[in-house]
Amino acid sequence: MPRYVTMADVAREAGVSLMTVSRVINDKGEVSTLTRQHVQEIIERLGYRPSNIARGLVTQRTGTLGLVVPDSANPFFSEVARGAEHAAYAHGYNVFLCNTEESTEQELNVLKSLDEKRVDGLLLCSSRLDKTALHQALLQHPVTVLVNRWLEGDGVGAVLADDRLGGLIATRHLLQRGHRKIGFLAGPPNSHSGRLRMEGYHAAFAEVDATWDPEWMEHCTPMVDGGQAAAYKLLTAHPELTALFCFNDLVAVGALQACEELGLVVPGDVAIVGTDDIPLAALVRPALTTCRVSRYELGKQAMQLLLKRIEGCLEECQTIILKPELVIRESAP
Amino acid sequence: MPRYVTMADVAREAGVSLMTVSRVINDKGEVSTLTRQHVQEIIERLGYRPSNIARGLVTQRTGTLGLVVPDSANPFFSEVARGAEHAAYAHGYNVFLCNTEESTEQELNVLKSLDEKRVDGLLLCSSRLDKTALHQALLQHPVTVLVNRWLEGDGVGAVLADDRLGGLIATRHLLQRGHRKIGFLAGPPNSHSGRLRMEGYHAAFAEVDATWDPEWMEHCTPMVDGGQAAAYKLLTAHPELTALFCFNDLVAVGALQACEELGLVVPGDVAIVGTDDIPLAALVRPALTTCRVSRYELGKQAMQLLLKRIEGCLEECQTIILKPELVIRESAP
DNA sequence: CTGTTAGCGCATTCAT
DNA sequence: ATGAATGCGCTAACAG
C-alpha cells in the first residue's frame, strides 16, 4: 500500500515551500505564472491529490453531507436521493447515503455516525423520530434540512409536498366524476403525510356537501401487499364503494390486484387514484391516475436549500412547499 | 455555530490527560474502572463525539467507502446500493454514493473526488471506462471491487452475474416451448453484459441445432422507451418472430407496450422474457418471465469482499460469480 | 510574490 | 495505570 503523495513531496520536488504549493492548489494568493506552471507540472507528474481530510481538520469544513432516508431502494427515496446527490455534486460536495431501515434506533445511529464524520450539513428525509427526539438530535447537528417532515419552532429548513392539497385534488377529481362512495387506503397510522391526505380527502367531500363514512378508511403498510390486503378487505366489506383513493402508488397497485381477484373492472366498477407518480404508475394496466410530486425536484430543492444555509444564509426561506398535480390516466379517467 | 466539543474539553473537565480520554474512547489500554466511568460521564454530559476526520489523519483510515453507480435511481442499482450500504454499515463504515450519469468523464470526476476524500475502499458498479482507462484509474486508488464488470490481470476483486448463463437459460426456455424465431433486444452496443447475454442466446440455439438470424437482434437504450422503440421496429420488420429475449426488464416492459400498440397478444402471439427481475417485473400485466440475479446480494457480497480485502486479505477470493435463475411468469409460461 | 510559524483534533511512542 | 511529547497533511496569519 504505497503512501499517498503529500504536499511536502510536491514542494520538495518543485523546490518551493509548502505554501506555494497550497496556493497553487487553491488558486489563491499571488503566485508567479512561471512557478505556478512548474508546480502544476510536478503535481501532474506525481499524481498528487490533496487530502480533503487534512484540509478539513484545519478549515473545519469537510465538503461532505449526510443524506438520511428510510430506504434508498424505495423508488420514492431513490429519486429524492438522486436529486439531492446531483445538486450536492454540482456544488462540489460528496454525500453519505444512510438508510434507517424505518427504525428510529437505526436513525439515531446513523445521525451519530454522520456527526462523527463531521458532515457540513444534513438532509433528513421522512424522519420517523418524534418531535422531542428530533429536536434533541438536531441540536447536536450542523445545518439541517428536513424533507417530507415538518418541525415547528426553531430554524431548521424543510421541503415538503402539500399532502393535504394532494388528497383534496385527488378526491375532488373522483367527486367531479360522480363518485360519492370513495374508500381511502390510508397507509401507516403514524404517517404524517397520511393524516394530511385524509384531511384533504375530507375537505373535498365538504366542498360538495357530500358526506363520508369513517368505515370507508383502512390503514395499511405502504406497499403493494398492504394495499392489496386492505383493498380486498374494504371492497368486500363495502361493496357500495365505486372508487378508492390510495396512500401511494404501490398501495394503488395492490388495490388493482385486489380488484382483479374480486372480478371488479377498473375503472368501470371501481376507479382508483394513487399518489406520487412513481415510474411504475404509468406502466401498470390500467395505468394509474395519480397525484404527482416530483421526487427528484424534492431532493434537489432540499439540497439547494441546505447548501444555501451552509453558505451562511440561515435566514433563507425556511420552508418550501411543492404543489402536487393530478396526472389523469386510465384507472380514473 | 458553536464549536464541536473536543477531547481536550473532556480531559480538562474530567481532570485527566488527553490520553486517558483517548483510551476510554477506543476501549484500549488499561484504564481503571473508576476513571473510565468518570470520563464516560463527562463525555455523555458534554455530548462529545470523536472527530473521525482528525482520527483519520493519524490512523490513515477514514472509515468511509465510495460507491460508484451509473444511476442510483435505476431500480437495479438502487438495490445493489442498498445491499452494499447495509453490509458496509454493519462493519461501521459510511459510504459515499456517487452517480456517474452514464458519463465516463463524470466517472473520472467522482473517482477523483473520492480519492481526495481518502476513502478506504471503492465499489465500482458497471464502470463504463474502457480497459486502459479503468486500469489507469484504479492505480491511483485504494482497494477496489468491481461489480458487473470484469477486468483481466491484476488483483482487483469482482462480483458479477453470470450473464452468459442468463442468456442461455432464458433462450433455452423459449426454445423448449417450441419457439424458433426469437428476437433479441440487446441493450447498448458497448455493454459487456449485453455481449455475454448474446453469447448465451446463441449458445442456446446451438444446443438444439437451431439457427438464428443476425437480423433478429436490435440494440436499444436500456430503458422502457428504448425497448418499446426497438421492439416495434423488430416486430414490424420481422413478423415471423414469436418471442423476444430482452436485455433487461425495463426493455421488456417497453416490448410489452410495443406489442400492445401492434395488437399482438402476449404471450399468445409473442412471448417475452426479461432480465433482472426488478420489482416492476411482477407487477406489470402480463407479469414478466425473467432471469433473476439478486441485486441486493450482488451489492452485499461485493461489499463484503471489499471489506475483507481492506482488512488485509488481498488474496481473498478475487472473483465471485452469481448464478441467475429463471422466474417463470405470464409473459412466457 | 514567497517562506515561516503555528495549530486543527487526535493516536502513537515512550516515559513515569 | 496515567501522562508528555511528537506528528498526521494541510491552511491561516503573518513575515520578508
Side-chain angles (χ1 to χ4, degrees):
Chain A
M1 197 151 15
R3 221 180 83 272
Y4 278 101
V5 178
T6 111
M7 234 174 63
D9 297 330
V10 177
R12 189 179 330 108
E13 190 73 13
V16 298
S17 77
L18 288 175
M19 268 319 293
T20 305
V21 180
S22 173
R23 285 182 181 115
V24 171
I25 300 284
N26 298 308
D27 234 349
K28 264 212 261 185
E30 311 298 334
V31 182
S32 81
T33 329
L34 205 66
T35 52
R36 175 179 299 274
Q37 277 184 356
H38 179 55
V39 171
Q40 209 71 268
E41 264 170 39
I42 307 284
I43 288 178
E44 295 283 319
R45 183 151 63 74
L46 267 44
Y48 168 69
R49 297 278 171 79
S51 161
N52 259 289
I53 97 126
R55 181 181 290 172
L57 192 56
V58 21
T59 60
Q60 303 282 35
R61 312 184 82 258
T62 55
T64 65
L65 302 168
L67 173 59
V68 180
V69 296
D71 173 8
S72 61
N74 177 313
F76 185 92
F77 295 113
S78 72
E79 274 284 342
V80 172
R82 199 168 126 77
E85 199 266 339
H86 198 108
Y89 200 80
H91 288 247
Y93 287 82
N94 285 100
V95 355
F96 285 116
L97 176 68
C98 298
N99 287 106
T100 67
E101 321 268 341
E102 308 272 359
S103 136
T104 56
E105 188 193 354
Q106 178 71 353
E107 184 168 346
L108 259 13
N109 282 338
V110 305
L111 287 178
K112 182 175 169 198
S113 77
L114 288 174
D115 201 18
E116 299 188 344
K117 291 298 193 290
R118 296 297 190 261
V119 293
D120 294 335
L122 209 54
L123 213 60
L124 192 48
C125 296
S126 300
S127 170
R128 305 299 200 230
L129 298 177
D130 64 49
K131 215 186 305 181
T132 327
L134 189 51
H135 257 118
Q136 177 63 28
L138 296 192
L139 239 63
Q140 325 219 5
H141 275 277
V143 196
T144 303
V145 166
L146 262 28
V147 176
N148 241 358
R149 167 72 187 255
W150 195 71
L151 188 66
E152 63 194 357
D154 60 357
V156 341
V159 178
L160 332 120
D162 191 335
D163 289 311
R164 187 178 180 286
L165 182 60
L168 180 69
I169 61 178
T171 312
R172 186 190 280 158
H173 173 72
L174 291 168
L175 288 164
Q176 281 173 349
R177 291 302 188 270
H179 298 279
R180 280 300 176 275
K181 302 182 189 305
I182 304 171
F184 178 34
L185 302 183
N190 61 348
S191 162
H192 193 231
S193 311
R195 230 167 298 129
L196 290 173
R197 280 173 202 149
M198 187 179 63
E199 282 184 30
Y201 163 82
H202 291 163
F205 276 91
E207 281 184 349
V208 296
D209 279 325
T211 55
W212 43 272
D213 185 332
E215 294 284 310
W216 295 344
M217 184 177 92
E218 187 73 30
H219 285 292
C220 61
T221 58
M223 286 166 297
V224 175
D225 293 354
Q228 179 171 22
Y232 193 97
K233 187 171 162 193
L234 202 58
L235 291 171
T236 309
H238 295 279
E240 74 272 22
L241 295 176
T242 64
L244 293 176
F245 168 47
C246 304
F247 177 74
N248 68 22
D249 289 339
L250 293 175
V251 169
V253 169
L256 239 36
Q257 296 183 349
C259 287
E260 204 175 311
E261 287 176 44
L262 292 166
L264 297 168
V265 177
V266 179
D269 299 322
V270 178
I272 292 182
V273 177
T275 301
D276 286 349
D277 195 26
I278 62 177
L280 174 60
L283 299 175
V284 291
R285 290 293 174 266
L288 283 178
T289 290
T290 185
C291 206
R292 168 197 296 159
V293 289
S294 169
R295 308 169 302 290
Y296 182 89
E297 204 57 31
L298 208 60
K300 181 176 142 193
Q301 298 233 13
M303 186 53 86
Q304 287 176 340
L305 176 55
L306 179 59
L307 290 169
K308 269 192 198 145
R309 306 193 90 210
I310 288 176
E311 316 287 339
C313 315
L314 280 178
E315 336 62 24
E316 187 72 27
C317 166
Q318 306 268 353
T319 301
I320 297 177
I321 298 187
L322 266 43
K323 299 289 175 201
E325 57 179 314
L326 196 65
V327 181
I328 300 177
R329 298 205 184 88
E330 304 155 8
S331 71
Chain B
M1 194 150 15
R3 220 179 85 272
Y4 278 101
V5 179
T6 108
M7 234 174 63
D9 297 329
V10 177
R12 188 180 328 108
E13 190 74 13
V16 297
S17 77
L18 288 175
M19 267 321 294
T20 305
V21 180
S22 174
R23 285 184 181 112
V24 171
I25 300 283
N26 298 310
D27 233 350
K28 263 212 261 184
E30 311 298 333
V31 182
S32 80
T33 330
L34 204 68
T35 51
R36 176 179 298 273
Q37 278 185 355
H38 179 56
V39 172
Q40 208 72 266
E41 264 170 38
I42 307 285
I43 288 178
E44 296 283 319
R45 183 151 63 74
L46 266 45
Y48 168 68
R49 297 277 171 82
S51 162
N52 260 286
I53 96 126
R55 182 181 289 174
L57 193 55
V58 21
T59 61
Q60 302 284 34
R61 312 184 81 257
T62 55
T64 65
L65 301 168
L67 173 59
V68 181
V69 296
D71 173 7
S72 62
N74 176 311
F76 185 92
F77 296 113
S78 72
E79 275 284 342
V80 172
R82 201 168 124 77
E85 200 266 338
H86 198 108
Y89 200 80
H91 288 247
Y93 286 83
N94 284 101
V95 353
F96 285 117
L97 177 69
C98 298
N99 287 104
T100 67
E101 322 269 341
E102 307 273 358
S103 134
T104 56
E105 188 192 355
Q106 177 72 353
E107 186 168 344
L108 259 12
N109 282 338
V110 304
L111 287 178
K112 180 174 170 197
S113 78
L114 289 173
D115 200 18
E116 298 187 345
K117 291 296 193 294
R118 295 296 189 261
V119 293
D120 294 335
L122 209 53
L123 212 60
L124 192 48
C125 296
S126 300
S127 171
R128 304 302 199 228
L129 298 177
D130 65 48
K131 216 186 305 181
T132 328
L134 189 50
H135 258 119
Q136 177 62 29
L138 296 192
L139 238 63
Q140 326 219 2
H141 275 279
V143 196
T144 303
V145 166
L146 263 26
V147 176
N148 242 358
R149 167 72 187 258
W150 195 72
L151 188 65
E152 62 195 359
D154 59 356
V156 340
V159 178
L160 332 119
D162 191 336
D163 289 311
R164 188 178 180 284
L165 182 60
L168 180 68
I169 62 179
T171 311
R172 186 189 280 160
H173 174 72
L174 291 168
L175 288 164
Q176 280 173 350
R177 291 303 189 268
H179 297 279
R180 282 298 177 275
K181 301 182 189 308
I182 305 170
F184 178 35
L185 302 183
N190 62 347
S191 162
H192 192 232
S193 310
R195 232 167 298 128
L196 290 173
R197 279 175 202 145
M198 186 180 62
E199 282 183 30
Y201 163 81
H202 291 164
F205 276 90
E207 280 184 349
V208 296
D209 280 324
T211 55
W212 44 271
D213 185 335
E215 294 284 310
W216 295 344
M217 184 178 92
E218 186 73 31
H219 285 291
C220 60
T221 58
M223 286 166 295
V224 176
D225 294 354
Q228 179 171 21
Y232 193 96
K233 188 170 162 194
L234 203 58
L235 291 171
T236 309
H238 296 277
E240 73 273 21
L241 294 176
T242 64
L244 292 176
F245 168 47
C246 304
F247 177 74
N248 69 21
D249 288 339
L250 293 175
V251 169
V253 169
L256 239 37
Q257 296 183 351
C259 288
E260 203 175 312
E261 289 176 44
L262 292 166
L264 297 169
V265 177
V266 178
D269 299 322
V270 178
I272 293 182
V273 177
T275 301
D276 287 349
D277 194 26
I278 61 176
L280 174 60
L283 299 174
V284 291
R285 290 293 174 267
L288 283 179
T289 291
T290 185
C291 207
R292 169 198 295 159
V293 288
S294 169
R295 310 169 300 291
Y296 182 89
E297 204 58 30
L298 207 61
K300 182 176 142 195
Q301 298 232 14
M303 187 52 88
Q304 287 176 341
L305 176 56
L306 178 59
L307 290 169
K308 270 192 198 144
R309 308 193 89 208
I310 288 175
E311 316 287 340
C313 316
L314 280 178
E315 337 60 23
E316 187 73 28
C317 165
Q318 305 269 351
T319 301
I320 298 177
I321 298 189
L322 267 43
K323 298 290 174 201
E325 57 180 314
L326 195 66
V327 181
I328 300 177
R329 298 203 184 89
E330 303 156 9
S331 71

